[in-house]
Amino acid sequence: MERLDKRLAASGRWSRTEAKALIKAGRVAVDGAVCRAPEQKVDDGAAVTVDGSPVDSGPVYLMLHKPAGVVSSTDDPREATVLSLLPEEYQKRGLFPAGRLDKDAEGLLLLTDDGPLAHRLLSPKYHVDKVYYVEVDGVLGESDVSALARGAVLGDGTRCLPAGLEVLEGGRSARVTLREGKYHQVKRMLASLGKPVIYLKRVAFGPLVLDPALPKGGWRVLNLQEIEALFRH
Ligand code: URA
């Protein structure tokens, strides 16, 4: 037997405070009956639901709007990591980012403790599209679109897979779509065109799109449709 708010927080999906708020709002049911008392003791075998969906301690999937200035690793002796933006419950769960963004880059980062899914999403075999909004020093045009469509050749001679470039108004910003994830790839590709990146933000990762309601540094749990879309991908 444990307290209902503790049971919810143990799922890693809500903090204890959030769990209490959900319970008081009447969104939590135990064995089918709404329970508004966070201190209510529940049996280990009881079926606990939030908004009708079962709560369990299965894998966690979070969307983070990474701000510039934090590193994408889980542990760093000198720098603030993306994990430091999450509540304590999540910091203890062994979450890691599926893919990385540079320290100065912003945007969508998927954090999970589901190793097999992360592995599939990052594997070159599965070709998960990543979409970036970039601003560059220079003006992008049709020749740049063709160069990336042929496959950019980086400064060290590495050839990239064909990538999408949608030049936005004025040519100083664009959307870049990659099907692979080489080190600093967007910056190196655009540098190879002589148009260095001055701002970089990931706006989509496979079927996931950065939630416009999430402020920089904000995060939320993926909803069921988003999780299903990741698995279908
Ligand atoms: N490409 C880059 O250059 N940096 C990132 O953070 C992601 C893609």
Side-chain angles (χ1 to χ4, degrees):
M1 298 277 269
E2 70 178 336
R3 285 174 58 113
L4 183 54
D5 55 356
K6 210 166 160 211
R7 169 84 183 267
L8 253 60
S11 73
R13 296 169 58 188
W14 302 278
S15 68
R16 196 74 178 262
T17 313
E18 288 167 334
K20 283 190 179 129
L22 284 172
I23 296 164
K24 287 186 180 156
R27 294 171 58 186
V28 179
V30 180
D31 288 332
V34 170
C35 175
R36 291 175 187 269
E39 69 284 358
Q40 174 74 48
K41 290 278 176 38
V42 290
D43 213 66
D44 287 350
V48 179
T49 56
V50 173
D51 296 334
S53 302
V55 168
D56 55 36
S57 42
V60 169
Y61 306 92
L62 305 182
M63 172 186 296
L64 172 75
H65 185 165
K66 179 194 172 299
V70 296
V71 294
S72 294
S73 48
T74 50
D75 191 20
D76 193 291
R78 280 175 298 274
E79 311 272 9
T81 70
V82 286
L83 286 190
S84 68
L85 300 167
L86 302 178
E88 217 178 304
E89 283 82 5
Y90 288 112
Q91 295 189 18
K92 290 191 295 218
R93 264 197 82 113
L95 298 178
F96 54 88
R100 288 176 172 237
L101 285 173
D102 296 338
K103 185 178 169 190
D104 61 357
E106 298 180 350
L108 174 55
L109 209 51
L110 168 66
L111 292 157
T112 183
D113 52 0
D114 184 339
L117 179 77
H119 180 76
R120 285 203 300 279
L121 291 171
L122 298 175
S123 159
K125 266 199 305 204
Y126 290 89
H127 290 306
V128 173
D129 279 359
K130 280 142 291 224
V131 185
Y132 299 86
Y133 167 79
V134 294
E135 291 174 8
V136 297
D137 183 5
V139 178
L140 293 161
E142 274 312 309
S143 60
D144 300 311
V145 175
S146 318
L148 294 199
R150 283 194 302 271
V153 181
L154 305 180
D156 63 358
T158 306
R159 179 171 281 280
C160 299
L161 290 177
L165 178 69
E166 181 196 344
V167 180
L168 302 175
E169 223 179 326
R172 294 190 175 274
S173 59
R175 282 163 69 91
V176 179
T177 304
L178 295 189
R179 313 209 92 189
E180 55 183 344
K182 300 186 194 301
Y183 184 61
H184 292 328
Q185 184 165 349
V186 175
K187 289 178 184 164
R188 289 161 76 208
M189 281 192 333
L190 288 156
S192 77
L193 302 174
K195 322 267 162 80
V197 169
I198 53 177
Y199 175 77
L200 179 64
K201 176 179 184 178
R202 179 152 65 199
V203 293
F205 178 67
L208 286 186
V209 176
L210 181 64
D211 184 339
L214 272 187
K216 285 179 200 174
W219 62 276
R220 68 163 172 78
V221 173
L222 292 194
N223 61 40
L224 215 54
Q225 287 94 314
E226 289 168 329
I227 296 173
E228 282 170 1
L230 280 179
F231 276 88
R232 267 201 311 272
H233 202 76

